């Protein structure tokens, strides 16, 4: 009698031998789940396309933002804004997560480390050159291969409404302006809903305005569950929680000790489960798997499946800031029987290029600062590619 490994090998051998040429079909990206990519995909511009702020705070010259210094606030830049003016000496600009850093600025200081006194902003600690800025092109160059041929895009159905938010977000088949961002979250969330067994109902994008958010949330609440992306962090234009609250939502959490994904929100609004996931694509994907997937199981009438966690051998030593549980985009390989995992180089939770390479997330518990190569670590699988 064959072992299951031997039997499997037989199947692969036999089917492989008879396999004809593969059919290549042109399908919309909305229907690409479960298919294998036939052509390579190259980036059509640099990633990020501009120097991007990763925090809500102030864009400064690092040598001016010293402890105790006061700088005049020259205005504000929100995500999606076209930035023409450069930073004049002695000034700063208020800036939101995802917005373009003006020329002349070389650091963004988190709003939590400042105090605002009228038009003056006081800085509490020394700014480091480059802090909280992801430089243009540092995630991927223009015309770089980002997906290779052969890459798998894979996945009673509860209907899950998907609503992205953000003034900077444009439809994926539109050409984004230089400071705009494609709505990749709606595509990835729809795929995750489908893999988990739900029926995605994609509602498009809401602007960062109370009325637009309110209308589209109202529409989303007609489905079995609502998943929002973006608009749940500390910025001035992060309105999702307050709009839901005004619509009668009861919240069960609005922060989780994880990175990425800390500002994730879960509540019930008008009887429907609602998830507010942070908008950066790595955060959105991780928090969906952690929190939305079990809800879809339960809404399907099934029990919530366990998280797809596996153990693997760490290929390269890790050094992470302690405190939060980290989910690092990573690649797991099976050189022998024991899976081996390596964290990918990344620029933080907006790094869609790292996400394109990752097949799992390496889980670093909050109490582990250093993990040596060869140690056993926990890995969260990406159901769409593993
Ligand atoms: P937010 O959570 O709203 O502060 O969004 C953080 C950042 O995530 C934004 O500035 C964008 O760069 C990115 N982002 C937000 N929404 C989307 C989306 N629908 N698709 C891809 N990226 C997004
Ligand atoms: Mg936003």
């Amino acid at each position: 009698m064959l072992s299951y490994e031997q039997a499997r090998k037989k199947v692969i051998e036999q089917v492989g031998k008879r396999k004809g040429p593969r059919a290549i079909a042109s399908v919309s990206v909305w229907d690409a789940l479960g298919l294998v990519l036939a052509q390579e995909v190259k980036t059509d511009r640099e990633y990020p396309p501009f120097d991007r702020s990763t925090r809500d705070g102030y864009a400064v010259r690092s040598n001016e933002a010293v402890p105790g210094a006061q700088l005049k606030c020259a205005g504000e830049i929100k995500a999606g804004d076209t930035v023409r003016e450069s930073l004049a000496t002695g000034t700063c600009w208020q800036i939101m997560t995802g917005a373009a850093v003006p020329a002349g600025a070389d650091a963004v200081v988190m709003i939590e480390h400042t105090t605002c006194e009228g038009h003056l902003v006081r800085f509490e600690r020394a700014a480091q050159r480059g802090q909280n800025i992801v430089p243009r092109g540092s995630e991927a160059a223009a015309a770089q291969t980002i997906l290779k041929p052969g890459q798998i895009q894979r996945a009673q159905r509860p209907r899950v409404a998907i609503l992205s938010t953000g003034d900077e977000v444009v439809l994926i088949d539109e050409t984004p302006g230089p400071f705009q961002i494609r709505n990749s979250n709606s595509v990835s969330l729809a795929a995750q809903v489908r893999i988990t067994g739900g029926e995605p109902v994609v509602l498009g994008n809401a602007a960062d305005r109370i009325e637009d958010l309110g209308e589209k949330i109202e529409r989303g609440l007609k489905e079995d569950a609502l998943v929002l992306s973006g608009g749940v962090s500390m910025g001035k234009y992060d309105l999702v929680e307050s709009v839901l609250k005004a619509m009668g939502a009861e919240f069960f959490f609005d922060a989780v000790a994880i990175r990425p994904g800390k500002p994730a929100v879960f509540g019930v609004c008008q009887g429907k489960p609602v998830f507010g996931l942070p908008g950066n694509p790595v955060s959105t994907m991780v928090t969906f798997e952690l929190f939305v997937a079990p809800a879809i199981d339960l809404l399907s009438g099934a029990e919530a499946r366990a998280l797809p966690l596996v153990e693997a051998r760490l290929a390269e030593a890790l050094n992470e800031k302690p405190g939060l549980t980290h989910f690092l985009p990573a690649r797991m390989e099976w050189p022998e029987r024991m899976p081996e995992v390596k964290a990918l180089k990344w620029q933080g939770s907006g790094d869609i290029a790292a996400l394109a390479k990752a097949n799992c997330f390496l889980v670093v518990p909050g109490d582990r600062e250093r993990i040596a190569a060869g140690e056993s670590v926990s890995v969260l699988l990406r159901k769409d590619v593993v």
Side-chain angles (χ1 to χ4, degrees):
M1 213 187 312
L2 301 180
S3 70
Y4 77 88
E5 288 97 337
Q6 289 166 329
R8 195 161 177 278
K9 213 167 145 191
K10 275 249 179 295
V11 172
I12 292 166
E13 220 174 76
Q14 292 304 315
V15 178
K17 243 200 294 204
R18 288 168 176 76
K19 190 178 74 180
R22 275 203 254 175
I24 297 179
S26 180
V27 297
S28 141
V29 68
W30 298 102
D31 301 321
L33 196 64
L35 301 179
V36 174
L37 194 62
Q39 290 177 328
E40 74 174 357
V41 175
K42 289 182 191 276
T43 52
D44 64 339
R45 56 174 179 170
E46 292 174 293
Y47 279 76
F50 47 84
D51 294 335
R52 180 175 64 203
S53 173
T54 61
R55 290 280 190 267
D56 300 310
Y58 292 92
V60 297
R61 285 191 163 74
S62 55
N63 61 353
E64 292 183 341
V66 295
Q70 285 191 316
L71 295 173
K72 187 169 165 271
C73 183
E76 66 170 37
I77 307 169
K78 55 191 170 68
D81 278 356
T82 299
V83 179
R84 290 200 186 87
E85 263 177 82
S86 57
L87 183 73
T89 46
T91 69
C92 60
W93 282 83
Q94 186 171 13
I95 192 164
M96 315 299 154
T97 303
V101 176
D106 65 357
V108 169
V109 177
M110 286 167 73
I111 197 157
E112 291 88 337
H113 298 161
T114 64
T115 39
C116 189
E117 294 151 11
H119 284 302
L120 291 178
V121 182
R122 176 186 293 280
F123 293 84
E124 289 161 12
R125 26 180 120 171
Q128 304 297 320
R129 206 187 151 84
Q131 85 185 16
N132 302 323
I133 297 176
V134 181
R136 169 180 177 164
S138 62
E139 295 165 355
Q144 181 182 320
T145 299
I146 195 149
L147 295 171
K148 293 205 181 106
Q151 235 174 301
I152 298 171
Q153 307 300 300
R154 310 187 223 215
Q156 152 105 45
R157 293 182 166 269
R159 288 170 60 89
V160 180
I162 296 170
L163 177 60
S164 71
T165 72
D167 289 344
E168 76 278 26
V169 174
V170 297
L171 296 177
I172 53 154
D173 42 7
E174 274 176 50
T175 305
F179 298 100
Q180 293 179 317
I181 296 292
R182 287 195 185 90
N183 193 348
S184 63
N185 284 345
S186 284
V187 179
S188 64
L189 284 171
Q192 286 184 289
V193 166
R194 211 165 262 159
I195 292 172
T196 312
E199 178 76 42
V201 181
V202 179
L203 301 181
N205 186 67
D208 292 317
R209 280 188 292 107
I210 289 169
E211 316 78 68
D212 196 34
L213 271 168
E215 263 171 50
K216 287 175 175 149
I217 288 173
E218 197 75 56
R219 165 66 188 89
L221 291 172
K222 295 197 196 321
E223 306 302 342
D224 299 314
L226 170 61
V227 179
L228 293 119
S229 94
V232 290
S233 37
M234 287 275 291
K236 211 169 136 185
Y237 297 94
D238 291 324
L239 303 171
V240 165
E241 224 179 314
S242 57
V243 171
L244 283 169
K245 198 174 181 133
M247 295 173 76
E250 184 190 352
F251 294 107
F252 300 96
F253 58 72
D254 66 359
V256 185
I258 53 173
R259 173 175 283 146
K262 187 156 161 261
V265 172
F266 167 58
V268 169
C269 191
Q270 301 172 18
K272 304 289 173 65
V274 177
F275 299 87
L277 310 182
N280 272 309
V282 185
S283 315
T284 313
M285 187 173 277
V286 168
T287 51
F288 180 97
E289 191 55 54
L290 296 179
F291 311 121
V292 186
I296 293 179
D297 284 346
L298 294 166
L299 292 169
S300 313
E303 281 184 24
R305 281 168 285 183
L307 264 184
L309 286 173
V310 299
E311 292 289 305
R313 199 182 145 272
L314 188 65
E316 276 177 19
L318 270 180
N319 235 328
E320 288 295 320
K321 251 217 290 275
L324 304 174
T325 299
H326 289 201
F327 290 88
L328 309 173
R331 269 208 80 83
M332 189 158 78
E333 310 284 0
W334 290 262
E336 286 159 16
R337 273 164 75 116
M338 178 68 172
E340 220 175 69
V341 68
K342 196 192 278 183
L344 294 163
K345 207 166 105 335
W346 70 320
Q347 300 288 338
S349 57
D351 193 339
I352 202 162
L355 204 53
K357 293 180 203 128
N359 64 0
C360 63
F361 298 98
L362 206 164
V363 187
V364 184
D367 58 0
R368 290 301 304 272
E369 210 170 330
R370 288 187 70 84
I371 307 184
E375 279 197 61
S376 179
V377 289
S378 199
V379 169
L380 177 65
L381 298 177
R382 261 183 75 173
K383 284 178 189 154
D384 54 338
V385 290
V386 173

